[in-house]
Amino acid sequence: MVFLCKKVTRYFLYFCPSNLEDYLMHFISQELEDYIEQHSENEPELLARLNKETYQKILLPRMLSGHFQGRVLSMLSKLIRPLNILEIGTYTGYAALCLCEGMQENGQLHTIDIKEELVDFQRKYFDASPWGQQIFQHLGEAIDIIPTLDVKFDLVFIDADKENYINYWEMIVPKMNKGGIILSDNVLWSGKILEPVHPNDVSTKILLEYNLLLKNDPRVETVLLPIRDGLTVSRVL
């Protein structure tokens, strides 16, 4: 087991995030994580293939939702039974496919990402799923794309650039149906929300403001779940 003092931890998080965040974003032991996965629903075969290929070919594979969080997203979607879903931050499409599992038969999912090099990778797996024709990819800045979507959403998953989380929130809430659910990922930010904030660390500053905003926003009721790197569930009133 590795022990790091707070000063050293902050140094590595700021100067070497790609090396240490994988370790620090897990708040329980690997043994417990393995037990949780083994006693949760199995990962679907298509998603297992997507998971494997992401780790083989794509940069920063730790951004993938993964087996356990993916099953949480799937379960929430199945409980909500959304007609229209919005995802901000597609990456390789793993979470999108999990969210589609609970979508109504005539529903649609809109997913936004800025990485053109991932579009074909995403589409390959979308088309291999039962929902290929119901998934709409949008390439570009979410800030520009969200206002063009003339849709009321039942379920939204925010998992993109943290600097814009507050902007996304304010754009999305008016587009939600009453009782709709907004999911916000990475809200614990590898534990950095409890550490002194480095002057140049804009993401942590924004997340601290964001978490407080969701707690106090009278338009929603919110619970922050310690799942993976933190997942907030907000229900629109």
Side-chain angles (χ1 to χ4, degrees), residues 105-189:
E105 187 175 346
N106 59 336
Q108 56 183 233
L109 180 143
H110 294 266
T111 184
I112 306 171
D113 206 286
I114 61 171
K115 296 186 181 299
E116 185 175 1
E117 65 272 19
L118 293 179
V119 170
D120 291 341
F121 187 101
Q122 298 159 5
R123 179 47 61 184
K124 177 176 70 172
Y125 281 96
F126 291 162
D127 287 344
S129 78
W131 311 284
Q133 295 187 11
Q134 297 167 264
I135 299 176
F136 299 90
Q137 295 164 283
H138 301 271
L139 181 63
E141 298 286 347
I143 290 292
D144 299 323
I145 293 170
I146 293 170
T148 70
L149 301 175
D150 187 20
V151 181
K152 282 283 192 177
F153 294 102
D154 306 295
L155 177 59
V156 174
F157 183 44
I158 306 174
D159 186 18
D161 55 312
K162 312 312 165 193
E163 292 86 349
N164 273 310
Y165 263 37
I166 293 174
N167 293 327
Y168 296 148
W169 177 263
E170 296 297 350
M171 298 174 80
I172 286 167
V173 172
K175 287 182 170 289
M176 297 297 296
N177 285 318
K178 185 176 181 180
I181 299 295
I182 304 172
L183 306 174
S184 308
D185 201 16
N186 303 120
V187 291
L188 295 179
W189 207 223

Side-chain angles (χ1 to χ4, degrees), residues 39-53:
H39 292 79
S40 298
E41 195 69 19
N42 292 336
E43 183 179 40
E45 189 272 337
L46 178 65
L47 290 177
R49 294 206 320 263
L50 192 165
N51 194 331
K52 182 177 180 180
E53 188 171 2

Side-chain angles (χ1 to χ4, degrees), residues 3 10 15 55 60 67 81 140 142 150 174 186 192 208 212 219 236:
F3 295 90
R10 290 198 299 273
F15 292 102
Y55 272 84
L60 301 176
H67 176 191
R81 294 293 294 152
D150 187 20
N186 303 120
K192 285 188 280 186
L208 286 167
L212 192 60
R219 298 172 294 178
V236 178

Side-chain angles (χ1 to χ4, degrees), residues 55-66:
Y55 272 84
Q56 289 174 336
K57 299 179 179 179
I58 308 299
L59 291 174
L60 301 176
R62 62 186 172 82
M63 292 173 59
L64 196 78
S65 291

